[in-house]
Amino acid sequence: MSQSNNRFLEIDLIKAMAIILVIFGHTFSYVQQSTGTILPTTQGTMHIINLEGLSLNQILTKWMTYSGLLTQQVVPVFIVLMGHNFGMSYTRKKYVSLRQIYSVNEFVRRFKRLLGPFAIAFISSIIIGIIVLLLTGNWVLYFGPYLLTGFLPINGPGNYFLSIIFEFLIIFPLMYIAYHQHPKLLIGSSLLCALIFELLRPSSGIYSISIIRFLPLIALGLWISTDHNLFAKRNLWLLPLGIFSGFYIILVNQFEYQFTVLGINFFQMTKSQNLFACFYTVLLVLVGIQVLQKSDRWPCIGIVALIGKASYHIFLVQIIYFGVNKYFYTHYHSIRDIFTIDNVEIILINLIICIIVGIIFYKLQEWLMVGNNKDRI
């Protein structure tokens, strides 16, 4: 991997592509875009899948519309990279005990890197919300119970992921120590915990903010932090499982009726983000690293890498941006509807605003932290 100042170019590029897809996906709010919405019920039966009468054109159209293999993978990809990056960071620092990881110095370092920008975004969202109220009379601020889990007061799309990040900071050290003692056992137990969580059928609110469903992604992120080579002997088992997960994602996104297996209901936005899909996500990351190994020779690659470095700050910005501007929550029913002149302009406007403001935010923090740790998430 291309390495400079403890940073890997391939990882930054993957993060850049992921955050761009976040903004793209939130622009068109895929939650209600299709007539193939899948809703949770209490039924515990398994539906028989009928492939008859399904043309290749229909399959490709639905894949693109739901984007289960791409857009819905951005959050899982970020979680895999969190497990990967923190795992490499702790290994580089030769941490071998919880006392080292939960030290005051480590907490201060993480606070500056993650909680500091969050605190700025939190205060900014309150100020912006008050300004919006004074100018338009619209109340956009949120002061519900989820603020205690890490939500911003402006409840934009992706707010739940901030809860996941803070839960990650608490639980990851335990997983890191367990991984270095029994790596395969950690992966197996993570899959089991995620399966039990799915079977318990928690409420949609608890489900969305709980890191339990993402435990396999963190464990697999740790696994690939040891070796990024897709074709390494220790990683070969991920290939067939990744292909299996890909087919699973296609099936649960393809069919317009409720899809239930073992009593697990697959929601439209979470059916591509659970334990059955996790191996596809890891395979996606490994393939990305493999493909981007010589990307340092590409033109303008530094700009793309900068977007990846600033992805956390861009993510905070887009939460506030979309939370305020409800106009961009237009639902589309066909991939053809997206690529009109007006809609392309909307995509570009959203990308330009969120990325530029996010990079300024990132550079400001970088300037304030001169000489301090700059570990990545």
Side-chain angles (χ1 to χ4, degrees), residues 204-337:
S204 59
I206 293 176
Y207 185 89
S208 66
I209 66 171
S210 176
I211 200 171
I212 297 176
R213 64 191 173 107
F214 292 129
L215 290 180
L217 291 171
I218 300 173
L220 291 171
L222 270 167
W223 179 269
I224 65 173
S225 70
T226 303
D227 192 338
H228 313 93
N229 186 356
L230 173 62
F231 303 106
K233 185 177 179 179
R234 71 186 304 275
N235 290 335
L236 289 179
W237 64 281
L238 293 173
L239 185 58
L241 288 177
I243 294 173
F244 167 80
S245 287
F247 277 116
Y248 155 77
I249 293 172
I250 293 169
L251 289 176
V252 295
N253 281 283
Q254 179 60 50
F255 296 95
E256 297 182 358
Y257 49 81
Q258 176 188 319
F259 188 84
T260 307
V261 180
L262 298 176
I264 302 174
N265 296 307
F266 297 99
F267 304 87
Q268 179 157 353
M269 285 301 291
T270 59
K271 61 191 177 186
S272 300
Q273 300 178 0
N274 54 36
L275 73 155
F276 300 107
C278 67
F279 294 103
Y280 171 79
T281 307
V282 176
L283 186 60
L284 203 61
V285 171
L286 285 174
V287 170
I289 291 174
Q290 199 81 23
V291 171
L292 296 170
Q293 281 184 346
K294 297 182 179 180
S295 55
D296 55 337
R297 305 174 185 175
W298 297 357
C300 301
I301 202 65
I303 297 175
V304 181
L306 178 59
I307 295 174
K309 295 174 185 177
S311 58
Y312 176 59
H313 299 74
I314 296 171
F315 186 80
L316 291 170
V317 168
Q318 67 85 38
I319 290 176
I320 299 173
Y321 175 75
F322 284 106
V324 170
N325 204 331
K326 301 297 183 182
Y327 169 77
F328 291 105
Y329 283 92
T330 304
H331 302 305
Y332 294 86
H333 298 279
S334 169
I335 196 68
R336 291 188 299 272
D337 293 336

Side-chain angles (χ1 to χ4, degrees), residues 24 90 93 176 210 247 262 277 308 336 344:
F24 182 92
Y90 289 173
K93 295 169 185 175
Y176 174 80
S210 176
F247 277 116
L262 298 176
R336 291 188 299 272
V344 169

Side-chain angles (χ1 to χ4, degrees), residues 19-20 23 307 314 350-360:
I19 195 63
I20 288 172
I23 297 170
I307 295 174
I314 296 171
N350 291 356
L351 285 171
I352 290 171
I353 292 175
C354 293
I355 289 174
I356 290 179
V357 175
I359 288 177
I360 293 173

Side-chain angles (χ1 to χ4, degrees), residues 51-337:
L51 296 174
E52 295 181 5
L54 197 62
S55 69
L56 179 61
N57 181 62
Q58 288 175 310
I59 292 176
L60 291 176
T61 299
K62 288 198 173 185
W63 283 0
M64 294 168 69
T65 302
Y66 286 113
S67 212
L69 295 172
L70 190 60
T71 305
Q72 292 183 30
Q73 292 304 310
V74 292
V75 166
V77 163
F78 274 125
I79 293 175
V80 169
L81 293 180
M82 285 164 60
H84 169 276
N85 294 344
F86 273 64
M88 291 191 68
S89 174
Y90 289 173
T91 299
R92 186 175 64 250
K93 295 169 185 175
K94 300 181 180 179
Y95 287 161
V96 294
S97 68
L98 291 176
R99 179 175 296 180
Q100 290 174 304
I101 301 176
Y102 285 120
S103 67
V104 174
N105 288 338
E106 184 65 23
F107 175 78
V108 171
R109 187 177 294 114
R110 297 306 173 192
F111 178 85
K112 290 179 178 179
R113 181 67 185 90
L114 295 173
L115 300 184
F118 171 80
I120 295 173
F122 192 96
I123 296 171
S124 299
S125 61
I126 294 177
I127 295 173
I128 293 171
I130 294 174
I131 293 174
V132 170
L133 177 63
L134 294 176
L135 293 178
T136 68
N138 294 322
W139 181 259
V140 296
L141 291 174
Y142 167 80
F143 290 107
Y146 287 113
L147 282 184
L148 300 176
T149 69
F151 275 38
L152 292 177
I154 291 182
N155 191 15
N159 225 345
Y160 75 95
F161 185 56
L162 297 177
S163 300
I164 302 296
I165 290 176
F166 298 134
E167 292 172 61
F168 174 89
L169 293 177
I170 296 172
I171 198 172
F172 181 78
L174 298 172
M175 296 186 68
Y176 174 80
I177 297 299
Y179 172 78
H180 282 278
Q181 293 179 350
H182 303 286
K184 295 180 181 179
L185 180 61
L186 175 67
I187 293 174
S189 59
S190 297
L191 288 166
L192 179 60
C193 288
L195 177 60
I196 293 174
F197 181 72
E198 296 281 357
L199 291 172
L200 289 176
R201 302 178 189 175
S203 65
S204 59
I206 293 176
Y207 185 89
S208 66
I209 66 171
S210 176
I211 200 171
I212 297 176
R213 64 191 173 107
F214 292 129
L215 290 180
L217 291 171
I218 300 173
L220 291 171
L222 270 167
W223 179 269
I224 65 173
S225 70
T226 303
D227 192 338
H228 313 93
N229 186 356
L230 173 62
F231 303 106
K233 185 177 179 179
R234 71 186 304 275
N235 290 335
L236 289 179
W237 64 281
L238 293 173
L239 185 58
L241 288 177
I243 294 173
F244 167 80
S245 287
F247 277 116
Y248 155 77
I249 293 172
I250 293 169
L251 289 176
V252 295
N253 281 283
Q254 179 60 50
F255 296 95
E256 297 182 358
Y257 49 81
Q258 176 188 319
F259 188 84
T260 307
V261 180
L262 298 176
I264 302 174
N265 296 307
F266 297 99
F267 304 87
Q268 179 157 353
M269 285 301 291
T270 59
K271 61 191 177 186
S272 300
Q273 300 178 0
N274 54 36
L275 73 155
F276 300 107
C278 67
F279 294 103
Y280 171 79
T281 307
V282 176
L283 186 60
L284 203 61
V285 171
L286 285 174
V287 170
I289 291 174
Q290 199 81 23
V291 171
L292 296 170
Q293 281 184 346
K294 297 182 179 180
S295 55
D296 55 337
R297 305 174 185 175
W298 297 357
C300 301
I301 202 65
I303 297 175
V304 181
L306 178 59
I307 295 174
K309 295 174 185 177
S311 58
Y312 176 59
H313 299 74
I314 296 171
F315 186 80
L316 291 170
V317 168
Q318 67 85 38
I319 290 176
I320 299 173
Y321 175 75
F322 284 106
V324 170
N325 204 331
K326 301 297 183 182
Y327 169 77
F328 291 105
Y329 283 92
T330 304
H331 302 305
Y332 294 86
H333 298 279
S334 169
I335 196 68
R336 291 188 299 272
D337 293 336

